[in-house]
Amino acid sequence: MTLGDLWTGTGEWLKGSGPNSDIVMSSRIRLARNLKKYPFPHWADAEQLEAVISDFKSAYGRIDFFRDALFLRMGELDSLEKQMLIERHLVSREHALRPEHKAVLISDREVISIMVNEEDHLRVQVLQSGFNLQDTWKLAGRIDGELEQFLDFAYSPEVGYLTCCPTNIGTGLRASCMVHLPALVMTKQAGRIIQAIGKLGMTTRGLFGEGTESYGNFFQISNQVTLGNSEEEMVDNLGRIIRQIIEQENAARSAIYANQRLLLEDRITRSLEELKSAKLISTEEALNFLSTIRLGADLGIIKGVDRDMLNGLFIRIQPAHLQKKEGKQLSAEERDAVRAEFISEKFNLKDQS
Amino acid sequence: MLCQVCGKNDATVEFTEIVNDEVKQLQLCDACAKKKGIEMEQHFSIADFLAGLSEPDAKGPGGGPVLKCGNCGMTFNDFQKIGRFGCADCYTAFRENLLPLLKRIHGSTRHTGKAKKSESSDLRHTLQLKLKLAIDREEFEEAAKLRDLIRDLENKPGEKK
């Protein structure tokens, strides 16, 4: 795979299929791992960081799984490309912000990405579409096993995998689901549910992970505790909570559909018209309209809009993706214009077909 | 004092917020602190948390010198400031001070998940070696913990991977 292939392709997690993919956009597992013989990245010198990268390269090179994977050194990417990796959920902001001695390995269809020298030496991420935590965990576990054959991970029998931050120690596992909850937001129940989730040891974040706001009614829900339970239990616990959230969102959708049908149709059709006719639109505004249209498509109120097109738009209207498409740097206002044109083309095209 | 956000419940938490270089102190009730916690998660650093948890200038056993990792040179003070370990050996160096912290964060101090492959096959062997070493050094508290670990392992043959 080349960098060009990456930009033209769409990640597997956006294809909008898999179980409950109307509400659960994607499932993700992240494992934190460190190499025993080097200090953790923030405490290591340049030579040690380079040694981590070269040990990792020789390890993944021996794993069949990664034969077609793309290995990128963060320092060799321009700022637009780094931003695009963030928009695609392949690297963290931190990883792009301080690119020296950092790298990322990205598998075919962006299912697996491994950040090298982020907070931990390795951050293995597996990301798949739909409500698919079990399979996603199985794949992450398999990759971990493969890597473990060639790399000596920092581990203690007492507290498990040793991580840079004590909040990740043990399994080093963070499981999360990205859920789309427009009906719960509309009925003002989302806040109450987020609070309840917090009491169960889970964290809620926005569309782009840590420290980001929730746009377009997307929430990322993940486990907080990494020590004391097995990986299966952690994945199971999150799964159980997500299942309840799905039920609640479905109940709210049915209630609105039954009791406020006109109001719902009004919002949905207006959102569609706004997107068709807008001349300037910010990312936030666009995401909110797209969210309503996604709900309309899920409920069958809008026909002929497929979920993978909508999911793809969630990424392609982001600032760096737009600038890449235009082939130049754009000011915020120029971006809003290009974004509006791009989106309206997509929806007007849909009308003709 | 009443909570400065809802004005209904008693304030139990002092919340310090820095917005545009201005320090704001709020007295909050549990519920409002939790809500705030969700909003502020990003700005809350683990280092602040640690600093509030353990004694500064943690000394070695018996009031010895400052705790320091022999491998990477990180002191326990460094760890409290940064909130991150320096290397894998830091865990062993700071173990006694860390276990209460892990308990606070995770509600547990014992890994029960997947064992590292190379370790699990000879995990018992390693633990037994460590136990012998601990007994030789008369570190009985440590020895008792190791004995429990070995016992756990023997009682759960199905979990040996």
Side-chain angles (χ1 to χ4, degrees):
Chain A
M1 186 162 68
T2 66
L3 200 56
D5 295 340
L6 180 67
W7 301 146
T8 50
T10 305
E12 194 281 341
W13 66 280
L14 287 165
K15 78 179 183 201
S17 61
N20 299 100
S21 53
D22 51 343
I23 294 172
V24 184
M25 184 140 157
S26 61
S27 300
R28 169 182 179 263
I29 298 285
R30 180 271 275 159
L31 294 174
R33 295 289 184 264
N34 287 282
L35 309 188
K36 200 171 173 176
K37 59 178 170 174
Y38 305 112
F40 296 141
H42 76 107
W43 205 246
D45 61 31
E47 205 176 302
Q48 290 163 328
L49 292 170
E50 285 305 316
V52 171
I53 293 181
S54 96
D55 283 13
F56 173 72
K57 275 179 94 167
S58 82
Y60 93 75
R62 291 152 83 177
I63 300 171
D64 211 36
F65 227 88
F66 295 118
R67 219 180 324 132
D68 296 321
L70 175 66
F71 182 84
L72 301 169
R73 294 198 59 121
M74 294 305 290
E76 289 169 6
L77 300 173
D78 64 36
S79 62
L80 210 57
E81 291 167 331
K82 280 181 283 193
Q83 185 62 33
M84 287 174 81
L85 291 179
I86 300 175
E87 290 175 1
R88 286 178 172 249
H89 296 229
L90 293 169
V91 306
S92 64
R93 289 181 175 195
E94 172 62 28
H95 209 56
L97 215 63
R98 294 193 189 79
E100 301 80 26
H101 309 295
K102 289 184 167 70
V104 62
L105 181 72
I106 300 164
S107 82
D108 187 32
R109 292 178 308 135
E110 303 166 46
V111 174
I112 307 160
S113 77
I114 303 179
M115 286 190 278
V116 187
N117 288 334
E118 210 246 18
E119 182 177 289
D120 294 296
H121 290 144
L122 301 183
R123 284 282 178 100
V124 178
Q125 166 179 283
V126 180
L127 184 58
Q128 290 185 292
S129 61
F131 184 31
N132 219 347
L133 282 169
Q134 296 294 342
D135 279 355
T136 308
W137 154 241
K138 270 184 212 141
L139 182 53
R142 227 179 100 193
I143 293 158
D144 184 40
E146 297 265 356
L147 289 168
E148 212 160 62
Q149 289 181 6
F150 307 110
L151 296 168
D152 193 9
F153 287 149
Y155 177 87
S156 123
E158 188 182 17
V159 292
Y161 289 93
L162 302 175
T163 53
C164 184
C165 181
T167 54
N168 293 315
I169 209 161
T171 57
L173 178 142
R174 187 91 57 222
S176 66
C177 282
M178 178 105 69
V179 290
H180 184 223
L181 308 176
L184 286 174
V185 173
M186 242 180 241
T187 54
K188 304 204 188 312
Q189 297 180 79
R192 177 180 61 81
I193 286 169
I194 288 169
Q195 250 187 300
I197 292 168
K199 287 186 187 136
L200 297 168
M202 303 284 158
T203 314
T204 308
R205 302 188 168 108
L207 187 54
F208 288 94
E210 211 165 315
T212 59
E213 280 172 63
S214 159
Y215 289 141
N217 306 314
F218 280 99
F219 300 89
Q220 205 165 280
I221 296 166
S222 60
N223 66 305
Q224 230 170 347
V225 166
T226 56
L227 181 66
N229 281 329
S230 71
E231 289 83 352
E232 286 77 12
E233 288 169 318
M234 290 174 188
V235 168
D236 241 39
N237 284 343
L238 179 67
R240 221 166 288 147
I241 287 167
I242 299 295
R243 219 164 288 135
Q244 288 183 27
I245 293 174
I246 294 172
E247 273 171 36
Q248 302 251 1
E249 169 68 16
N250 272 328
R253 287 183 184 192
S254 307
I256 302 176
Y257 193 78
N259 305 325
Q260 292 170 291
R261 178 85 192 253
L262 267 184
L263 184 77
L264 187 67
E265 284 182 3
D266 176 69
R267 276 216 204 176
I268 290 165
T269 47
R270 276 179 194 236
S271 297
L272 194 58
E273 288 315 311
E274 290 265 6
L275 287 183
K276 279 183 188 169
S277 57
K279 295 290 173 213
L280 287 174
I281 195 163
S282 70
T283 310
E284 187 185 347
E285 203 184 358
L287 284 176
N288 286 331
F289 286 133
L290 286 171
S291 162
T292 310
I293 289 168
R294 197 177 193 271
L295 176 66
D298 288 346
L299 293 174
I301 292 173
I302 295 180
K303 305 265 189 266
V305 176
D306 31 308
R307 208 178 289 142
D308 63 338
M309 188 272 267
L310 285 174
N311 287 354
L313 275 181
F314 283 112
I315 302 303
R316 300 203 176 276
I317 61 162
Q318 301 286 336
H321 274 82
L322 279 179
Q323 294 177 71
K324 184 78 180 178
K325 183 177 145 313
E326 293 296 305
K328 58 180 181 210
Q329 296 265 328
L330 300 170
S331 70
E333 194 178 316
E334 287 169 332
R335 287 203 300 268
D336 288 355
V338 170
R339 183 179 297 114
E341 196 189 329
F342 178 56
I343 297 174
S344 84
E345 263 173 27
K346 284 266 176 196
F347 283 103
N348 287 318
L349 211 70
K350 280 276 156 197
D351 275 4
Q352 289 157 17
S353 63
Chain B
M1 174 169 190
L2 285 178
C3 170
Q4 288 177 290
V5 171
C6 66
K8 286 180 205 150
N9 306 323
D10 279 335
T12 50
V13 180
E14 187 177 78
F15 192 87
T16 310
E17 198 176 16
I18 301 172
V19 181
N20 301 329
D21 290 326
E22 250 186 65
V23 181
K24 260 201 321 200
Q25 279 196 332
L26 289 170
Q27 309 292 326
L28 305 175
C29 70
D30 278 349
C32 292
K34 263 199 198 114
K35 267 188 231 159
K36 210 77 180 153
I38 293 172
E39 286 170 38
M40 300 302 292
E41 194 183 16
Q42 171 68 2
H43 311 288
F44 175 79
S45 102
I46 184 82
D48 301 335
F49 181 64
L50 294 175
L53 266 185
S54 26
E55 296 286 306
D57 297 320
K59 299 281 192 280
V66 168
L67 276 182
K68 187 170 178 174
C69 172
N71 181 47
C72 74
M74 178 173 273
T75 65
F76 192 73
N77 281 349
D78 291 332
F79 170 69
Q80 282 180 304
K81 258 180 248 150
I82 308 170
R84 295 172 179 188
F85 299 114
C87 72
D89 288 355
C90 288
Y91 171 74
T92 323
F94 309 147
R95 184 176 178 279
E96 293 305 315
N97 298 47
L98 282 176
L99 292 179
L101 175 73
L102 294 182
K103 183 96 192 160
R104 290 278 279 271
I105 300 174
H106 298 286
S108 166
T109 55
R110 185 68 57 82
H111 176 60
T112 61
K114 173 174 182 258
K116 191 171 140 183
K117 262 201 198 106
S118 52
E119 300 262 337
S120 59
S121 51
D122 52 18
L123 172 59
R124 226 174 73 193
H125 179 69
T126 317
L127 287 176
Q128 267 156 351
L129 280 180
K130 281 189 180 166
L131 174 61
K132 199 166 168 288
L133 201 72
I135 294 172
D136 287 348
R137 288 185 187 156
E138 301 187 13
E139 292 167 357
F140 297 119
E141 212 173 300
E142 175 74 18
K145 276 176 196 150
L146 288 164
R147 191 200 55 214
D148 289 348
L149 270 174
I150 295 168
R151 194 182 291 155
D152 279 2
L153 210 63
E154 284 168 346
N155 289 342
K156 293 189 284 185
E159 295 207 3
K160 268 187 279 177
K161 280 173 198 163

